[in-house]
Amino acid sequence: MMSQSLSRDTAARTLQYAAGPVLLVAAWWVAYATGAVNSDLLPSPFLTIADTVKNIQSGRLGVDFGATLMRVGYSILIAVAAGVPAGIALGANASVYRSVEFLIDFFRSTPATALFPLFLLLFGLGDPAKIAVAAFAAWLVLVFNVAYGVLNARQTRILAARSMGASSLRVFRDVTFFETLPQTFVGLRTAVSIALVVIIVAEMFIGASDGLGHRIIDAQISYNLTDMYGSIVATGVMGYGLNLLLLLVEKSVIHWSGR
Amino acid sequence: MHAPRQGVAGADVVSPRSSGRTRLITIRGLDKTFGGSTIYKDFSLDLPQGRFISIFGPNGCGKSTLINMISGLAPMDAGEVLYDGQTIQETRISYVFQNYREALFPWLRAIDNIHYPLKVMGVPAAERRARVDNLLAEFEVKIDLNAYPYTLSGGQQQTVSILRALVTSPEVLFLDEPFSALDYEMTLFMREQLQKIFMKTRTTMLLVSHDLEEAIQLADKVLLLTRRPTRVAEIVDVDLAWPRTAAVTTSERFTGLKRHCLDVFWRQVKGE
Ligand SMILES: Nc1ncnc2c1ncn2[C@@H]1O[C@H](COP(=O)(O)OP(=O)(O)O)[C@@H](O)[C@H]1O
Ligand SMILES: [Mg+2]
């Protein structure tokens, strides 16, 4: 009986999750079939799905997916390697942080895409420019969040460690670092979604020969609508997947969060 | 590294203890202001070591501030604190916080929380384990110490906190309202535990309490403080037998002490 109600719960949950996508495809199909949206702009959902499956099977969608994922991955790696230490250093010293707070806020508010021309001058047309812009935008978010986390770390635990005679370095490594982890993950998730946006746009407009951004704009130019829609959904899958992955990692690393 | 520092005193130093006199905590000329409001001004006090001392006084009079300063947790504006002639840094001090939730390290298992102070002192792993095992055996701890602190009850968490404070064999143990976040039943149990620890170790204890009954039950001396700027209203000797069982705390002598402390307290609060 217990397992029966359990499986009924699972079935109900699955139905709930599936309802959204099913409704979307249904609405899409109605819009397409009734001609409510010009069929020159909206292909049949089933054709789109079929075409996307074909593109996946041929491996071509996977190549572009992989290229974009690589670029996002590199930019995040750079942002983390440079941003976490910088954020810790800034957050450790409130007066230093205040003196650069305006700069960080300013550049955080500047659309990263406005920096493309500058980074093209610095890095040329290839991958390094794309990765550098994305890394820079992600870096700013990380620095801000890590510094904020360090500045606002709960004082009691730091005091406790200090009362045991721990050196400043030790307090930092054993306490402040862990106290900052939740905020670091908040920053990381934001950084990943920003990096994805920047990379996709960069692939569209600055000389890429692969990547989902390139694929979307290519499909649009050659008027391959099913490919265009399929590739857009693929970027969504990537963004959603990365976020989910980070949430799972966060949950297992910061097991104490909110407890 | 963790050798008792007073034990390495040279031949030229004759410890007052060895001469049979009471060891003292001496506080001299302590000043503290917070943003223009004076908490302590030229505050001086002698307290005996090896005793249980409770601190009781009006809310906001500076009880936490006092023990934070004399434990080295917070800076004083001026003044000197010596433990048996030695500075705060030269004395092995432990501190138990009111908010155990924010004082334990939730990323470490309870057992690793207890190990942590020894790690900081650089005690090798094998010796650390031995010392922790001794401590746990001595106090018959019945908590799953492989659990993370947040899975334990409030009383268990504060017990872990106290064990963490005791593992370094401190010369002085400070406790700032350690049981005020616990329910009544657990509070009674923890008072009993703390008594046992004191009777076993005879570690100098300084307990801040907002509960007069608790302050008297656990203490050899109750330090009654005035409103700010804070002075000593009275140091009340609690000459009751240990352990302080229910029979003791319901005795006429106990109620008499309580009435006396309450009188002093109300006089201070009303500012007479
Ligand atoms: N870090 C601080 N900054 C400013 N004021 C403080 C600080 N800590 C304590 N105070 C003030 O000093 C007074 C004494 O505080 P405290 O020692 O916590 O009192 P209590 O006797 O209740 O423990 C209070 O009025 C409190 O507001
Ligand atoms: Mg207090």
Side-chain angles (χ1 to χ4, degrees), chain A residues 154 156-157 159-161 163-166 170-171 174-175 178-179 255-256 259, chain B residues 73 93 95 97 101-107 116-117 119-120 148 150-151 164:
Chain A
R154 297 246 185 95
T156 319
R157 292 194 185 112
L159 225 53
S163 80
M164 298 168 199
R170 181 125 209 178
V171 169
D174 292 350
V175 184
F178 288 96
E179 287 278 301
H255 52 84
W256 65 90
R259 310 283 294 265
Chain B
L73 227 52
I93 284 171
Y95 195 109
F97 294 83
R101 230 183 276 284
E102 288 188 8
L104 289 172
F105 303 137
W107 45 85
Y116 186 74
K119 246 183 183 163
V120 168
Y148 285 101
Y150 52 79
T151 64
R164 180 176 77 169

Side-chain angles (χ1 to χ4, degrees), chain B residues 32-35 37 39-40 57-68 176-177 208 225 228 230:
Chain B
K32 186 74 182 180
T33 59
F34 277 124
S37 89
I39 315 284
Y40 290 101
N59 193 23
C61 76
K63 302 179 292 293
S64 298
T65 305
L66 179 66
I67 69 165
N68 288 353
D176 191 357
E177 305 196 9
V208 172
L225 295 177
R228 291 177 314 188
T230 308

